[in-house]
Amino acid sequence: MTDGEAREYGPLGKALVIIPTYNEADNLRSVIARVRTAVPEVHVLVADDNSPDGTGKIADEIAADDEAVQVLHRSSKEGLGAAYIAGFRWGIEHGYGVLIEMDADGSHQPEEIPRLLTALGGADLVIGSRWVPGGRIVNWPKSREYLSRGASTYSRFLLDVPMRDITAGFRAFRKETLESIGIETVASQGYCFQIDLTRRTVHAGLRVVEVPVTFVERERGNSKMSRDIVAEALWRVAAWGVEGRVKKILGRRHT
């Protein structure tokens, strides 16, 4: 947890769950149904990257029956980061005060959204963490666990951020947080996108809180994890780490 500047937090406003999709036809209906049951007051935005398996069509059918569900059709597969940024912009333009990231594959538990919203009452960003006390994973191979833990440790060391689960993709932002950290300049994707938003929030002096969640490995469909995503995270984090250390050194020389 980082405390940021002590201050009073205003009301949260309307909440929007953003679900980026690419070939999630087998999972989307059940995930949205769980969100709408668990937290009926929140709205859902599906950001679909022109899925060839018909995910976008399924999203349209759900939206036709539920006015709390909207669909953002994107022309091509541009990656997780680009989908979320498009969703953030849509949500801010439509008056939402809270933007929630959540996967479409069932790995994030919609029933835990209230926990994130409660914590956001006194924070700028809340991360649903697997690696804080009370957090856990279900049905993950050890190789994935080592990769995730290793990525967080690597990033925490190089970027000087205290988060235990910096790559987590289940999180809630205040609108003002996203407006203040320059999301228009974010170019990173995958693991790296989550790392980038976290470091920007911490370095802006904002308050970040981690709450424990349960992460369940998907039962249907294919993971989007790839060697390219891991490689991007490694080199971008290293570059950010070097940049940060250079700025500190130069800052000391001019004080």
Side-chain angles (χ1 to χ4, degrees):
M1 179 176 68
T2 61
D3 290 332
E5 182 182 352
R7 67 182 187 279
E8 293 291 328
Y9 285 89
L12 295 176
K14 296 188 300 179
L16 178 70
V17 176
I18 302 168
I19 304 177
T21 56
Y22 186 77
N23 287 350
E24 295 290 355
D26 292 336
N27 298 309
L28 189 62
R29 289 188 187 277
S30 63
V31 167
I32 292 179
R34 287 175 64 191
V35 172
R36 298 289 292 125
T37 299
V39 274
E41 68 273 18
V42 307
H43 290 185
V44 175
L45 175 68
V46 178
D48 184 65
D49 276 5
N50 197 23
S51 299
D53 73 343
T55 300
K57 182 176 182 293
I58 292 172
D60 285 336
E61 292 170 355
I62 298 170
D65 292 331
D66 187 347
E67 62 181 11
V69 178
Q70 301 292 328
V71 185
L72 179 62
H73 291 282
R74 292 161 46 74
S75 61
S76 62
K77 187 172 185 277
E78 297 178 16
L80 182 73
Y84 269 131
I85 289 172
F88 292 154
R89 288 173 176 157
W90 188 96
I92 291 170
E93 288 171 0
H94 287 79
Y96 290 91
V98 175
L99 294 309
I100 299 169
E101 296 183 11
M102 198 181 82
D103 287 351
D105 60 10
S107 57
H108 299 148
Q109 309 308 296
E111 296 77 16
E112 295 181 317
I113 291 175
R115 182 179 300 170
L116 272 64
L117 293 174
T118 297
L120 195 63
D124 300 288
L125 162 62
V126 174
I127 296 174
S129 176
R130 298 158 288 189
W131 312 131
V132 297
R136 67 190 188 103
I137 54 174
V138 177
N139 296 332
W140 247 18
K142 282 296 182 182
S143 59
R144 283 291 302 275
E145 180 179 347
Y146 294 150
L147 177 62
S148 179
R149 287 185 181 272
S152 285
T153 300
Y154 173 78
S155 302
R156 190 164 64 247
F157 173 74
L158 287 179
L159 302 179
D160 192 26
V161 293
M163 279 53 262
R164 306 300 300 180
D165 196 355
I166 194 172
T167 64
F170 191 22
R171 47 179 69 192
F173 291 88
R174 285 179 178 264
K175 173 194 70 171
E176 295 82 4
T177 303
L178 294 168
E179 291 175 329
S180 67
I181 63 174
I183 60 171
E184 67 280 353
T185 64
V186 173
S188 45
Q189 299 293 328
Y191 263 137
C192 204
F193 174 76
Q194 309 297 3
I195 296 169
D196 194 359
L197 294 194
T198 306
R199 76 176 183 98
R200 287 170 183 247
T201 304
V202 171
H203 293 168
L206 301 176
R207 188 169 192 252
V208 181
V209 173
E210 292 185 278
V211 298
V213 297
T214 297
F215 183 98
V216 180
E217 176 68 341
R218 68 160 65 232
E219 295 182 355
R220 297 180 294 275
N222 298 315
S223 171
K224 308 304 188 294
M225 181 57 61
S226 69
R227 290 183 179 180
D228 288 344
I229 289 174
V230 175
E232 182 202 20
L234 289 173
W235 75 259
R236 284 193 186 272
V237 169
W240 291 328
V242 170
E243 179 185 12
R245 281 161 173 75
V246 169
K247 286 181 178 178
K248 284 185 178 180
I249 292 170
L250 293 178
R252 291 194 200 103
R253 289 178 180 174
H254 290 89
T255 56

